[in-house]
Amino acid sequence: MDGLLAQIRAELASNDAIRQAQALLQALQLAAAGKDMSSVCRAACDEIIASPANAVCKKLAFDLIRATRLTWQQWETVCRGIKNDFDFPDPDVTAAGVSFLAAIPSWRLGKLITDCSKEISNCITSENNHLRYAITETLGSILARDDVVNLCEASAPLSDRVATWWKQIGQTMLDVSDAVSRVAFEAVGRLLSEFTTKRMSRLAGDKLISTEASLAIRSNWVISMCNFVWEKRNLLMARSLVLPIESFRSTVQPLVFAIKAVATGMVEEMQAISGGNTSPRGPMGEDFVNAERILAVSDLVSHLVPFLTSLDPSLVFEVGVNLLSLADVPGGKPEWASASVTAILTLWDRQEFMAGRESIVKAVVQNLQLLDLHMQVSLFKKLLTMVRNLRVEADRMQALACICRTALCVDLFARESVKRGQKPLPGTDIASLFEDPRTKEDLTSVSSSSLFREELVACLVESCFQLSLPLPRQTATGTESRVIGALAYGAGYEAMSWTQTALEVVEVCRPCVKWDCEGRTYAMDCYLKLLVRLCHIYDTRGGVKKVKDGASQEQILNETRLQKLQRELVKDLSEVATSRLLARLIWALAEHFDLDGLDPLLADDPEDPLNIIVANVRKVLFNGDSPLNVATNRLQDIQAVLLCSQHLGSRYPRAAQLFTKELEDFRASSFSDSVSKHQCRLILQIFKHTLKHPESSWAGSASATGDYPFSHHKLSVQFFDASAAQDRKIEDLVRKAVQELWRPPPSELLLLVTKGADSSVLKSAPSSHTLSASSDPCYVEAYHLMDPIDGRLTLHMKILNMTEQEINQVDVRIGLIGALQFMDGSLQAMRNLQHLQSQEPTSCSITVTVLHFKRCALCVQMIYYPFHGGMANGDLDDVEYGEEDAIRSRRTLKTDYGEPIILRCQPYLVPLTELLLPHKCSPVEFLRIWPSLPAISEFTGAYVYEGSGFKATAAVESGTPPFFTGLRALEEKPFFQVCSHVLRTVAGFQVCYAAKTWHGDFLGMVIFGASEMSRNVDFGDETTTMMCKFVLRASSSLVLDEITADVQQWLDDLTDGAVTYVSEEDVQSAAAERLKRSMQQMAMFKAAVAARPPPSPPKQDDDDDDAGSEEKPKEPKEPKEPSTLTTYTAEEIEHRALQAAVLQEWEMFRAK
């Protein structure tokens, strides 16, 4: 192998172009086979790229460089060769060098395009088509990225040059060459799409802060391009028509984006960010401008519609998706969306577009609201079948959420049309929309291996709950404006309109109570919760209302249907598959069942609803067949049916008599434990009282609450099985999809326009940390940026030459400690800086990947040369900081003017908190997850706060307890504050936080605090020492192992150094010391009391009083009161006090 590599290097050193090309081809084959080509790359850089060569050899050499990893010296050689190629007489050689600009690393790209800006401009205006093609394609790939935007923010001349280049690229769209025109359209499309997606920036590994200046720069580029396309739209459409059919696809997205941005007013919104005033205004006023915009959109639609019948599937899809986006602009027509959807759906059965079926379904279901009612109904069943075949769960759930929202929208529209006197449209009700044979078979089947039916029921029910909430107001046009407005109109016509659609849903999904889903219950819980909500709203407990009571005919009809559904569900109790679901269904029926409407003549009929309920309650109570059910679900099932029997028996005497017998049998059986027996005794006493006093209302006969405690995890029983995990997974997917669809987050552009620079999108720059010492010749400071989505960390450094002389060369070496890895997989990284002027800052950055949750740091070492000189043979002591190739090449190198100066900087520590993400959850969900976390750790901290004074007064006025100020830094950390309970009486608190690591591990943290006075102050001082207990639980022990490895560092990361770790020995010794001081003070007090002379008795004038005083001591002494001493420790007492306070706050909250 070494001989072969030596032969390739020899061929590269020859001046024969054919031999060089053959050697490069052979090297590319070896690189593709996984061989190390670093030595060949060094020869290619020196002999091909940095030397005169033909275009073929240049391209092959650049391809070889892309396949390998270069050192910083080799990158300098490559950049020097590209700069020389700009002046090469052969334009093909220049085109080869220009094409490689996109592969230059971000840390070297800025300086290169700054030095070669004039040559780049000359290439854009060159007469050679190949050179114009290469420079346009390359600039379109790099100029829209975040790193270039950041360079433009720091350099105004470069920003002007890039803006000029974009104008030249826009004019190139009208180039005479078809190939150049096509790549110009593609470049403009990348710029416009990068404004919202940042896709190319992520691929390049850049993650920069979106500052106001950077957004203004990018907005100016987009505005200028949109205005150019708007002014030249007719010419651009005509130019796209003469392009080859395979190139026409590149012209669609730039035209649609620019014209839609102008037509919808998006350009004006971007101008508010950039501060310019370049919006297109007509000479005849605003009305003429609006008419011109509508006509422009119509002309573009007419330009694109003929291509919907193309034979190219990718072109049909591109045109169809863009036409759907145009159908939502002001003046859009449903016919445009109908034609696009019809054309896109024809691609479903085409063999060459099989891999794009997910894209077809997503494009159609997300734009269903743009179609008319007839087409929505006709496509509904077909789309439901398509969604069923989607493989990715997240995509399937989003599509299901869109379909379920469409079903509710269609049903509401049809109902409102009938109310307005229009003819009812057949097939618009929920039952007709879901009457597909396969869907009905899934719903009616007891057991099925598919999860689709559970996802469908859950999405339908969650969509109904979203419909019951106030819909968000849309301040700007968008893809959601039309459907949200339609739903708001349909639901706002009458307060109960959404319940009619929900009633249709519960009727269609009724068979789900019979399902056997292998322990999963989320879909059925959603269904029963909606049923309970409807029964509570219509008050089915009191029977069907009458007209004389003020009920409308529609309300009477709905209540009748709902009570009929209740009776059908009672009959279905015998077919319920599991005891767990049977208990939940009994709960959903018992609280709102109309017992007074039962026929007393059918009391002995087995088909009587009450008799059926009692029989199934007995079935749950005496169910001991399954050991698994006994171990996991039986406690919850028994508690549920016992409460149901209390609800029914306290309201209806016959129910009390029937349940009395069942409870007595259960109490006497071996199936009940001590708790159940006591509860049965209490329920029987309630029944006894209600039967003896039927005329008086009993407190046990509580009113219906409309609560379904089984969903949302309000009960504390845990289920450690696979079905519970699957339920939580489906729940997360469904709720996320429904929430994003019904309550979409506002766009970044809208946030910036409405909130300005105070928006959360514009993050404040992170604080920098100084890495160098005060006397070092180079000042180094750094800050980091995190990208949790891609798992990346970018370290940005600023180097300042503190000497009065120019430093010609500085090598910055970065090493890694912990779970970090460079993007190219190397062990070290090198950044070469040249010509550092005195007091002039120079920036550089490095991006690494975070592998897992672990403490990590970046070690920075600077090697700079005080004098400029050549190289001579010698030794370099520090060979451990460097890449392998760099080590071998520098072991025998030494400057002519002395050894280089090595500056070892402080390591840059990455806080562990930066590797966390806030996990938003409800308090009930947090307390449900908390006991199930296996890893646990706790420790104590202490800090000083101001008990009085100005800061304490300000804290009290703001509603924050003064003793909580020491943990104020937690508000800025990536934790979600689940809940907090402040006990003002004893000056204590309890706070719960939830977070997840980048890699999915859950971390919960609870902080208990109670103020403790320090021993060297008294009650009059303004400072107080706070003692707080940190309790952490995690899903993985590795997470807590990293935290507890250095507790003080973790507390510093959490509280910015405000809390000090206190060991358990110190806590115990401090408590013993306080107890000792207290005992000494009490002993001194008792001694002082004993030393004090007893007071003389008062003189009495009356003899009877004297006699009474003599007899008084002889009275018998009262017995001593019980002792208040307890065996509980201080921590247990504190925990019990916190629990009592939490329960009291919860009861007060419920009472409100």
Side-chain angles (χ1 to χ4, degrees):
M1 187 65 186
D2 294 338
L4 180 60
L5 296 180
Q7 181 181 356
I8 293 176
R9 290 194 295 268
E11 296 290 341
L12 293 178
S14 66
N15 293 325
D16 189 353
I18 297 178
R19 294 172 59 189
Q20 289 177 339
Q22 291 176 350
L24 288 171
L25 287 173
Q26 191 173 9
L28 284 172
Q29 292 177 355
L30 294 175
K35 305 297 182 181
D36 184 13
M37 293 286 105
S38 56
S39 60
V40 176
C41 283
R42 188 183 307 112
C45 291
D46 296 334
E47 304 296 340
I48 305 298
I49 297 177
S51 304
N54 61 8
V56 176
C57 293
K58 290 277 187 179
K59 291 179 180 179
L60 292 175
F62 286 134
D63 291 339
L64 181 61
I65 289 175
R66 288 188 179 97
T68 54
R69 187 172 67 246
L70 301 184
T71 62
W72 67 269
Q73 295 97 336
Q74 293 169 356
W75 277 119
E76 291 296 330
T77 304
V78 170
C79 294
R80 185 169 61 254
I82 293 176
K83 291 169 64 175
N84 295 334
D85 289 343
F86 278 112
D87 300 327
F88 202 81
D90 186 1
D92 291 338
V93 174
T94 306
V98 164
S99 300
F100 192 71
L101 287 177
I104 299 295
S106 300
W107 57 270
R108 189 62 180 83
L109 179 63
K111 189 174 185 301
L112 181 60
I113 62 176
T114 302
D115 297 340
C116 304
S117 58
K118 183 178 179 181
E119 290 80 0
I120 292 175
S121 300
N122 295 334
C123 291
I124 299 177
T125 58
S126 173
E127 297 181 357
N128 186 274
N129 294 340
H130 189 198
L131 182 55
R132 292 202 312 275
Y133 177 92
I135 192 63
T136 305
E137 183 182 31
T138 303
L139 291 181
S141 300
I142 63 176
L143 292 186
R145 288 179 357 201
D146 278 350
D147 52 349
V148 178
V149 177
N150 189 56
L151 291 172
C152 293
E153 181 182 354
S155 174
L158 180 61
S159 178
D160 296 338
R161 294 191 192 100
V162 174
T164 304
W165 292 341
W166 276 120
K167 292 179 182 178
Q168 292 177 332
I169 292 175
Q171 296 171 357
T172 309
M173 290 190 291
L174 299 172
D175 196 272
V176 294
S177 172
D178 291 341
V180 176
S181 178
R182 177 179 62 81
V183 296
F185 274 107
E186 291 176 352
V188 174
R190 292 193 191 99
L191 170 66
L192 300 179
S193 61
E194 191 73 4
F195 184 73
T196 54
T197 61
K198 304 291 182 68
R199 180 175 178 271
M200 289 190 300
S201 298
R202 291 189 178 277
L203 291 176
D206 304 319
K207 183 63 178 177
L208 306 175
I209 288 182
S210 297
T211 60
E212 191 174 6
S214 64
L215 288 171
I217 291 171
R218 196 189 294 271
S219 299
N220 276 326
W221 297 347
V222 175
I223 289 172
S224 62
M225 199 58 63
C226 289
N227 290 336
F228 175 79
V229 174
W230 175 263
E231 295 170 359
K232 305 291 185 180
R233 59 185 182 275
N234 294 326
L235 285 176
L236 291 173
M237 286 189 285
R239 181 68 182 91
S240 64
L241 289 176
V242 298
L243 286 176
I245 190 64
E246 60 271 9
S247 301
F248 181 82
R249 180 187 173 192
S250 305
T251 67
V252 177
Q253 195 264 345
L255 289 172
V256 171
F257 184 97
I259 293 179
K260 183 178 179 180
V262 176
T264 58
M266 181 181 174
V267 172
E268 284 81 356
E269 294 176 355
M270 287 187 288
Q271 286 174 201
I273 301 175
S274 62
N277 187 17
T278 58
S279 60
R281 296 292 178 185
M284 301 179 63
E286 190 70 26
D287 295 336
F288 176 80
V289 171
N290 292 335
E292 184 184 11
R293 291 175 177 177
I294 295 174
L295 289 176
V297 173
S298 180
D299 292 342
L300 181 59
V301 171
S302 302
H303 167 71
L304 296 176
V305 163
F307 293 92
L308 291 175
T309 59
S310 173
L311 297 178
D312 184 9
S314 59
L315 178 59
V316 174
F317 182 79
E318 184 74 19
V319 173
V321 170
N322 283 277
L323 280 179
L324 286 174
S325 65
L326 288 177
D328 196 41
V329 302
K333 300 179 180 179
E335 292 81 5
W336 301 347
S338 301
S340 302
V341 168
T342 303
I344 292 175
L345 290 178
T346 58
L347 302 176
W348 180 266
D349 297 324
R350 297 184 65 166
Q351 186 69 26
E352 59 270 29
F353 208 74
M354 290 290 289
R357 284 190 167 185
E358 288 82 359
S359 302
I360 293 175
V361 177
K362 290 174 62 176
V364 174
V365 298
Q366 291 177 359
N367 295 277
L368 275 176
Q369 71 274 5
L370 303 177
L371 304 175
D372 56 12
L373 197 60
H374 294 270
M375 192 166 185
Q376 290 185 31
V377 174
S378 62
L379 290 177
F380 192 84
K381 298 175 184 177
K382 183 177 181 181
L383 290 176
L384 197 60
T385 304
M386 291 180 175
V387 171
R388 182 193 301 271
N389 296 325
L390 292 181
R391 294 165 294 178
V392 182
E393 291 179 339
D395 293 344
R396 185 170 68 247
M397 222 64 70
Q398 290 179 352
L400 260 182
C402 295
I403 284 184
C404 293
R405 187 184 66 174
T406 301
L408 301 182
C409 183
V410 168
D411 186 78
L412 282 173
F413 265 138
R415 292 180 184 278
E416 297 305 320
S417 299
V418 173
K419 288 180 180 180
R420 291 192 298 268
Q422 299 179 8
K423 183 179 179 180
L425 184 65
T428 55
D429 56 309
I430 300 294
S432 301
L433 291 173
F434 291 96
E435 67 178 2
D436 179 63
R438 188 173 178 184
T439 303
K440 292 183 67 176
E441 181 183 356
D442 274 351
L443 291 176
T444 56
S445 176
V446 175
S447 60
S448 176
S449 59
S450 175
L451 293 176
F452 179 75
R453 61 177 186 173
E454 299 176 46
E455 298 166 354
L456 176 61
V457 171
C459 279
L460 264 177
V461 174
E462 292 290 350
S463 299
C464 288
F465 286 132
Q466 291 292 331
L467 186 60
S468 66
L469 300 175
L471 294 167
R473 294 179 177 270
Q474 293 290 321
T475 57
T477 58
T479 58
E480 303 298 328
S481 59
R482 183 171 300 184
V483 66
I484 294 296
L487 290 175
Y489 176 75
Y493 183 82
E494 186 180 289
M496 307 291 285
S497 290
W498 77 271
T499 59
Q500 301 175 23
T501 303
L503 184 56
E504 293 272 354
V505 171
V506 295
E507 289 178 344
V508 170
C509 300
R510 181 174 69 88
C512 73
V513 298
K514 306 177 186 179
W515 291 350
D516 184 6
C517 299
E518 301 177 354
R520 297 185 299 271
T521 61
Y522 172 63
M524 289 71 82
D525 284 337
C526 290
Y527 173 80
L528 293 178
K529 184 185 177 186
L530 180 60
L531 176 66
V532 171
R533 177 78 64 86
L534 292 176
C535 293
H536 185 68
I537 291 175
Y538 283 106
D539 192 16
T540 56
R541 185 177 182 177
V544 179
K545 311 301 183 297
K546 299 180 180 180
V547 177
K548 64 179 182 180
D549 298 330
S552 62
Q553 293 294 336
E554 193 171 291
Q555 182 180 352
I556 294 174
L557 178 61
N558 293 336
E559 290 183 2
T560 305
R561 292 172 58 189
L562 193 55
Q563 292 206 0
K564 180 182 177 183
L565 177 64
Q566 284 181 320
R567 293 177 180 270
E568 292 176 350
L569 288 172
V570 170
K571 295 179 181 179
D572 294 338
L573 286 174
S574 59
E575 303 179 27
V576 176
T578 62
S579 176
R580 181 180 182 184
L581 190 57
L582 180 60
R584 300 186 177 195
L585 180 56
I586 293 174
W587 175 281
L589 295 172
E591 195 175 27
H592 298 89
F593 197 80
D594 182 18
L595 295 174
D596 297 328
L598 297 177
D599 190 353
L601 299 178
L602 301 177
D604 298 331
D605 188 0
E607 300 297 327
D608 181 69
L610 183 57
N611 292 335
I612 297 176
I613 293 176
V614 173
N616 284 277
V617 168
R618 180 181 180 85
K619 181 180 178 181
V620 175
L621 292 177
F622 293 92
N623 179 28
D625 299 335
S626 174
L628 180 62
N629 182 69
V630 173
T632 57
N633 307 328
R634 180 167 175 76
L635 174 62
Q636 189 182 47
D637 299 342
I638 290 177
Q639 294 297 318
V641 295
L642 288 180
L643 291 176
C644 292
S645 63
Q646 178 182 344
H647 284 309
L648 293 171
S650 60
R651 289 195 292 122
Y652 197 56
R654 185 164 70 89
Q657 295 174 357
L658 295 174
F659 280 116
T660 299
K661 179 180 180 302
E662 302 297 336
L663 294 182
E664 287 177 349
D665 294 344
F666 175 69
R667 186 183 176 189
S669 68
S670 60
F671 290 96
S672 62
D673 54 11
S674 59
V675 176
S676 302
K677 290 180 179 180
H678 285 294
Q679 189 170 0
C680 290
R681 184 177 60 83
L682 175 62
I683 296 174
L684 291 174
Q685 291 294 329
I686 295 175
F687 290 167
K688 183 178 180 181
H689 182 89
T690 55
L691 292 175
K692 285 184 177 180
H693 306 280
E695 71 284 351
S696 61
S697 62
W698 168 242
S701 179
S703 60
T705 60
D707 191 18
Y708 181 76
F710 301 97
S711 64
H712 302 285
H713 319 288
K714 290 186 178 179
L715 296 182
S716 59
V717 179
Q718 299 294 313
F719 300 101
F720 300 98
D721 51 14
S723 60
Q726 187 70 27
D727 269 340
R728 288 194 292 268
K729 181 180 179 181
I730 297 176
E731 179 182 5
D732 291 340
L733 290 172
V734 169
R735 290 194 175 181
K736 182 179 179 181
V738 172
Q739 186 71 22
E740 289 179 354
L741 184 65
W742 287 79
R743 264 71 180 172
S747 64
E748 177 180 328
L749 185 61
L750 182 61
L751 284 175
L752 294 174
V753 171
T754 55
K755 298 183 180 180
D758 296 333
S759 173
S760 59
V761 177
L762 297 181
K763 300 178 182 179
S764 58
S767 57
S768 300
H769 300 275
T770 302
L771 303 182
S772 59
S774 58
S775 59
D776 290 337
C778 283
Y779 172 79
V780 183
E781 68 175 15
Y783 67 91
H784 72 278
L785 298 175
M786 312 295 289
D787 184 7
I789 299 176
D790 296 330
R792 294 173 179 173
L793 181 148
T794 302
L795 182 68
H796 296 270
M797 293 175 288
K798 183 174 72 174
I799 296 95
L800 184 64
N801 180 13
M802 303 297 293
T803 65
E804 297 181 357
Q805 299 178 356
E806 177 186 355
I807 300 179
N808 295 281
Q809 182 176 344
V810 175
D811 298 339
V812 182
R813 293 185 177 182
I814 299 98
L816 303 180
I817 299 177
L820 299 178
Q821 184 180 12
F822 288 110
M823 302 297 293
D824 56 1
S826 60
L827 301 178
Q828 302 281 336
M830 172 77 75
R831 295 290 181 265
N832 177 256
L833 308 177
Q834 295 181 351
H835 306 293
L836 272 69
Q837 301 295 331
S838 177
Q839 304 298 324
E840 182 176 340
T842 304
S843 301
C844 67
S845 62
I846 185 68
T847 300
V848 296
T849 302
V850 182
L851 300 180
H852 53 267
F853 185 82
K854 188 177 181 180
R855 295 187 186 275
C856 49
L858 292 93
C859 298
V860 180
Q861 183 187 72
M862 300 188 62
I863 303 175
Y864 70 96
Y865 304 85
F867 307 99
H868 186 272
M871 296 292 181
N873 291 333
D875 294 324
L876 186 63
D877 295 335
D878 185 42
V879 297
E880 59 182 356
Y881 287 88
E883 299 158 356
E884 299 244 346
D885 300 327
I887 293 174
R888 289 196 297 266
S889 62
R890 292 178 59 97
R891 276 177 180 168
T892 58
L893 293 182
K894 182 179 68 175
T895 59
D896 288 342
Y897 301 99
E899 296 289 342
I901 299 178
I902 301 174
L903 173 64
R904 289 184 175 90
C905 302
Q906 297 179 3
Y908 187 89
L909 302 177
V910 180
L912 271 180
T913 53
E914 295 290 333
L915 306 180
L916 296 173
L917 294 174
H919 179 68
K920 187 175 182 180
C921 62
S922 64
V924 174
E925 184 179 0
F926 177 83
L927 297 177
R928 175 186 64 83
I929 299 176
W930 178 261
S932 64
L933 299 174
I936 183 170
S937 177
E938 59 181 33
F939 42 84
T940 306
Y943 58 91
V944 176
Y945 73 94
E946 295 194 2
S948 60
F950 175 76
K951 293 184 178 180
T953 304
V956 172
E957 292 179 354
S958 64
T960 304
F963 51 82
F964 194 68
T965 56
L967 302 175
R968 184 66 56 84
L970 268 170
E971 297 178 359
E972 302 176 358
K973 306 302 178 183
F975 277 91
F976 175 75
Q977 183 173 333
V978 180
C979 55
S980 65
H981 304 286
V982 178
L983 313 179
R984 298 180 184 275
T985 55
V986 295
F989 62 87
Q990 174 190 4
V991 196
C992 302
Y993 294 95
K996 276 191 174 182
T997 66
W998 286 11
H999 306 86
D1001 293 324
F1002 183 86
L1003 175 65
M1005 181 172 63
V1006 179
I1007 305 176
F1008 298 95
S1011 62
E1012 296 285 348
M1013 307 303 294
S1014 57
R1015 57 185 176 182
N1016 55 353
V1017 298
D1018 55 17
F1019 290 94
D1021 290 341
E1022 296 184 354
T1023 59
T1024 309
T1025 300
M1026 166 66 72
M1027 302 290 292
C1028 55
K1029 173 78 82 172
F1030 291 82
V1031 182
L1032 281 77
R1033 277 196 164 186
S1035 58
S1036 174
S1037 59
L1038 299 177
V1039 175
L1040 292 188
D1041 290 344
E1042 282 298 322
I1043 294 175
T1044 55
D1046 191 349
V1047 177
Q1048 185 59 56
Q1049 186 63 42
W1050 169 258
L1051 292 176
D1052 292 342
D1053 296 342
L1054 279 179
T1055 61
D1056 294 341
V1059 177
T1060 304
Y1061 170 66
V1062 181
S1063 63
E1064 292 299 326
E1065 293 78 6
D1066 295 340
V1067 173
Q1068 293 177 2
S1069 62
E1073 184 69 23
R1074 288 195 302 269
L1075 179 61
K1076 181 179 178 180
R1077 290 199 312 269
S1078 300
M1079 297 298 293
Q1080 291 176 354
Q1081 291 175 0
M1082 291 178 62
M1084 294 173 60
F1085 179 74
K1086 289 180 179 180
V1089 171
R1092 187 180 306 169
S1096 58
K1099 296 181 179 181
Q1100 302 293 337
D1101 296 335
D1102 199 318
D1103 296 339
D1104 296 338
D1105 295 341
D1106 294 340
S1109 62
E1110 293 177 359
E1111 296 176 357
K1112 190 173 182 180
K1114 299 180 182 179
E1115 294 179 358
K1117 296 182 179 180
E1118 297 181 358
K1120 294 183 178 180
E1121 297 182 357
S1123 175
T1124 57
L1125 296 179
T1126 177
T1127 58
Y1128 295 113
T1129 62
E1131 294 181 356
E1132 292 176 346
I1133 293 175
E1134 177 186 353
H1135 187 66
R1136 287 171 175 267
L1138 288 170
Q1139 285 183 337
V1142 170
L1143 293 175
Q1144 183 179 1
E1145 289 185 7
W1146 176 250
E1147 293 296 334
M1148 292 176 60
F1149 175 75
R1150 292 188 63 185
K1152 295 178 182 179

